[in-house]
Amino acid sequence: MKSLIALCLLLCIASAFEIREPRNTQRERVSPRISNGQTAAANQFPYQAELEIDEGPRYRFCGGSLISNEWVLTAAHCVFTVEKVTVYLGSINHLDAIVQLEVHQRDINVHDEFDMQTARNDISLIKIPAVTCTPAIQPVSLPNRASCNSAYIYETVLAPGWGCTSDTSIAYSSVLQFAYFRVISNEECAAAYYGSSIIHDEKMCTVTDNHIKVLGGDSGGPLVLASSKVQIGIGSVISMQGFGTDLPAAYTRVTSYLDWIQENTNIDL
């Protein structure tokens, strides 16, 4: 059982966010979603980015967040092997964006110490051509340095995204979904996964009731405080087990990387 869960976690890092289909000339304009979530309203999450990951004959999707008019924040596992990413901004409808930007590998900055096996340093930055802010396109706020020591335990948080409709589904929703979660301690999170080494200091975990889950397609997307809408997490590791398990989801802890973000973007944090 322990080895099965460890394998599921590792597979999640690599492929839980992936809906892989052969590319064709009549791509279906649909998207996965957070299971049992709510449908987002227009402009509710103006920082939400959708990333179309080009892998030659195949493609997949991740989430991301606009953190300035020139930078998108996402997970390293989403983009660390790719040569091209298309960034969609400004709409809750899948691939129906106000702004569509094609970005190549030279403008994708994956953390130098990202480790696929342990999910450490699962963070990446994408440099985009400067966009104009509108009600539909606005950067998310990042934590200030005074909050760096906060674990956020028991805080209520929000996760928007275009994740899978179920653990085994390839059916999608065309509209952005979101759900509320609560932060738990890393000790409680690791215990749920039999002490998995993937749950370490640079991670934070969330749970919820009523079988609401983040699933494939939600990787790289933002986790924000419900009270302030400040982004504190980046979608990183999710369980591949069924809806009834309600196992935690793990996020890259943004406060652990404020220096790295500032050094690589010159954003004043």
Side-chain angles (χ1 to χ4, degrees):
M1 182 65 174
K2 293 182 182 181
S3 61
L4 175 62
I5 289 181
L7 176 60
C8 286
L9 281 167
L10 291 174
L11 287 174
C12 232
I13 302 167
S15 62
F17 54 86
E18 299 176 11
I19 301 299
R20 294 175 173 263
E21 300 174 3
R23 184 180 294 277
N24 55 56
T25 57
Q26 294 183 333
R27 186 186 323 177
E28 191 177 4
R29 296 179 64 80
V30 289
S31 166
R33 66 177 174 85
I34 287 177
S35 69
N36 295 332
Q38 303 176 50
T39 299
N43 305 341
Q44 184 176 1
F45 301 101
Y47 47 81
Q48 180 73 30
E50 184 176 12
L51 309 181
E52 183 184 28
I53 315 297
D54 191 331
E55 296 185 323
R58 299 178 183 274
Y59 65 99
R60 53 185 167 83
F61 296 95
C62 269
S65 56
L66 189 70
I67 61 171
S68 81
N69 70 332
E70 295 183 311
W71 290 97
V72 169
L73 185 66
T74 189
H77 76 256
C78 287
V79 295
F80 79 109
T81 60
V82 305
E83 295 187 0
K84 185 173 67 175
V85 175
T86 303
V87 179
Y88 297 87
L89 298 168
S91 178
I92 61 172
N93 296 310
H94 175 59
L95 301 185
D96 186 22
I98 295 173
V99 171
Q100 178 179 330
L101 304 164
E102 190 174 281
V103 180
H104 293 269
Q105 188 178 51
R106 63 181 177 273
D107 291 317
I108 300 172
N109 186 351
V110 174
H111 196 288
D112 288 340
E113 297 181 18
F114 169 58
D115 186 328
M116 185 70 177
Q117 298 303 311
T118 64
R120 286 189 178 275
N121 303 305
D122 191 9
I123 186 171
S124 181
L125 288 160
I126 300 174
K127 181 72 164 60
I128 60 173
V131 296
T132 301
C133 291
T134 69
I137 300 175
Q138 293 282 336
V140 69
S141 297
L142 296 180
N144 59 47
R145 295 183 185 282
S147 63
C148 281
N149 293 326
S150 176
Y152 301 108
I153 298 172
Y154 306 127
E155 291 272 11
T156 300
V157 289
L158 274 170
W162 287 277
C164 301
T165 55
S166 73
D167 301 272
T168 58
S169 175
I170 58 171
Y172 307 147
S173 166
S174 62
V175 183
L176 184 69
Q177 305 287 301
F178 72 97
Y180 290 92
F181 301 87
R182 66 179 181 277
V183 179
I184 60 173
S185 70
N186 281 17
E187 291 76 14
E188 182 180 352
C189 186
Y193 290 115
Y194 296 89
S196 171
S197 61
I198 290 174
I199 309 304
H200 40 72
D201 289 346
E202 294 80 23
K203 286 285 186 286
M204 62 191 307
C205 294
T206 64
V207 294
T208 189
D209 302 316
N210 303 319
H211 307 318
I212 296 172
K213 293 179 70 175
V214 287
L215 290 172
D218 301 321
S219 286
L223 183 75
V224 302
L225 291 169
S227 57
S228 64
K229 305 305 186 288
V230 169
Q231 181 177 353
I232 61 171
I234 303 165
S236 180
V237 180
I238 56 176
S239 169
M240 294 290 281
Q241 295 193 43
F243 281 110
T245 58
D246 287 336
L247 287 170
Y251 294 77
T252 299
R253 189 181 294 273
V254 172
T255 52
S256 296
Y257 295 95
L258 293 179
D259 287 342
W260 184 83
I261 293 170
Q262 183 167 327
E263 288 168 5
N264 286 278
T265 64
N266 292 319
I267 296 173
D268 189 19
L269 297 174

